[in-house]
Amino acid sequence: MQVLRPITTADFAALKQIAIESGHGFTSLPVDDEQLKEKIDRAEKSFAKNINQPLDESYLFVLEDSETGEVIGTTAIEAAVGLSVPLYHYHLGKTVHHSPTLNVYNTVDILSMCNDYTGCSEICTLFLRENSRKGLTGRFLSRSRFLFMAQHSERFADTVIAEMRGVSDEDGHSPFWQWLQEHFFSIEFPQADHLVGLGDKVFISELMPKYPIYVNLLSKKAQAVIGHVHDKTKPALKLLEKEGFEHRGYVDLFDAGPTVEAKLGNIRSIRESQVCPITIGELEHISQHSSDTLAVCNQGVSGFRATFTQHAHYNHAKHTLVISQEVADALNLSQGDAARFFRL
């Protein structure tokens, strides 16, 4: 079985390996020991807090193979972004140049730097190791965050965002950044990317152009990637779009990848999830009634556990979730405990 759980200090080596494998553009996991240790420490403190509002917490999870003990992926939620470190975006808007005298009317796209998503919750740090990208694992890793958010909604903001990785080549060079670099900066994209991952964003406010940028002044290559995602990010974007996330013109400052958003209560997995008592039943009995794969979690915070399985069946008549002993053990559930689930 594959079980999602909060990260612990013992997962440092696995987290570092995932950071290495994630490559350029994955700013939320920099290959830096101190930063990774800080992320783990911050997550452990966040899971341990007893709070009822979104503050500066970070919930970082790992997906573990219960048979081997190997960590095969990560996913995370930032409760409220931009409170301690500014969160910058470009917003793609329009301006009109109109002269009735000359009979000229031109609509021009512009990029304006903003902090509009300050205080929103963010889902992030989604990475599944390559040899585990099969079956429903990737879908579960993406959607499992919504089980935690549904169960502990008081910890999150009304608006949820996801920053999608933009277009870059195999060496990590972004066409959008190349234009910015040529005109405003003297550092390569991987270096800027690394600084952001380390939380060093001072240079953004110091060097970024303060006025809106006319899109038609950018290079053709830079214009072509605005709002587009990296090829490897397309499946993740499709999953979020099915959940109800939309792109409303906000893009990343460095690679122009889209940021998508949704209202917490409108996210499909949250809306469709149910809570009910569990009954631990015989595996053969469950298999006769179950053809769906369910994502199931317990109600814990620091003890949160989630998995996906066909060894579970929702009994509508009795409003109970029948699960196997193996699933109950993986989720640390006992007879009569409550669980949350949705169809994967």
Side-chain angles (χ1 to χ4, degrees), residues 1 83 91 99 171 173 248 262-263 276 296 306 312 321 327:
M1 292 182 67
L83 300 185
H91 185 256
S99 172
D171 297 319
H173 296 293
R248 297 190 174 175
K263 293 299 181 183
C276 65
V296 188
L321 184 68
V327 173

Side-chain angles (χ1 to χ4, degrees), residues 278-281 323 325 328 333-338:
I278 65 156
T279 298
I280 300 174
I323 61 175
Q325 185 66 57
L333 290 172
S334 302
Q335 187 80 6
D337 286 345

Side-chain angles (χ1 to χ4, degrees), residues 13-219:
L15 186 65
K16 183 174 181 180
Q17 184 57 39
I18 286 174
I20 293 168
E21 292 176 15
S22 63
H24 299 295
F26 203 77
T27 55
S28 57
L29 282 183
V31 185
D32 180 279
D33 286 9
E34 289 307 308
Q35 289 290 320
L36 293 176
K37 287 175 182 175
E38 278 185 27
K39 283 182 176 293
I40 293 173
D41 181 61
R42 183 171 167 235
E44 288 185 315
K45 288 177 179 176
S46 297
F47 282 112
K49 287 181 181 177
N50 182 17
I51 53 174
N52 58 9
Q53 60 180 317
L55 298 171
D56 192 27
E57 283 81 43
S58 174
Y59 304 99
L60 179 57
F61 304 87
V62 292
L63 185 63
E64 182 180 75
D65 186 312
S66 62
E67 287 186 17
T68 64
E70 180 186 13
V71 170
I72 59 174
T74 61
T75 192
I77 316 164
E78 292 288 330
V81 292
L83 300 185
S84 57
V85 179
L87 180 70
Y88 296 102
H89 284 92
Y90 273 133
H91 185 256
L92 185 63
K94 294 184 184 297
T95 188
V96 175
H97 292 236
H98 182 208
S99 172
T101 306
L102 299 177
N103 194 28
V104 172
Y105 186 97
N106 288 323
T107 301
V108 184
D109 290 332
I110 58 171
L111 290 168
S112 305
M113 195 163 73
C114 65
N115 306 103
D116 290 359
Y117 281 132
T118 298
C120 296
S121 295
E122 179 185 7
I123 53 174
C124 54
T125 323
L126 179 68
F127 188 80
L128 183 61
R129 301 179 76 172
E130 199 157 350
N131 58 1
S132 299
R133 295 173 189 172
K134 53 195 173 187
L136 294 173
T137 306
R139 183 183 299 184
F140 169 73
L141 189 57
S142 176
R143 296 180 66 188
S144 61
R145 295 172 288 199
F146 302 132
L147 284 169
F148 187 82
M149 296 179 85
Q151 187 60 47
H152 306 289
S153 59
E154 71 281 357
R155 291 175 176 254
F156 301 104
D158 184 50
T159 299
V160 184
I161 66 170
E163 295 183 314
M164 311 307 292
R165 183 176 176 181
V167 177
S168 60
D169 62 22
E170 292 179 358
D171 297 319
H173 296 293
S174 158
F176 186 77
W177 175 261
Q178 285 174 349
W179 185 88
L180 284 174
Q181 178 191 352
E182 182 181 341
H183 293 86
F184 300 101
F185 293 85
S186 301
I187 58 175
E188 296 285 339
F189 176 69
Q191 184 182 352
D193 203 42
H194 183 66
L195 288 171
V196 171
L198 297 178
D200 184 1
K201 298 185 181 181
V202 175
F203 74 96
I204 296 175
S205 58
E206 292 175 338
L207 297 177
M208 273 290 180
K210 303 297 186 294
Y211 301 102
I213 296 174
Y214 280 66
V215 172
N216 58 4
L217 298 180
L218 275 63
S219 68

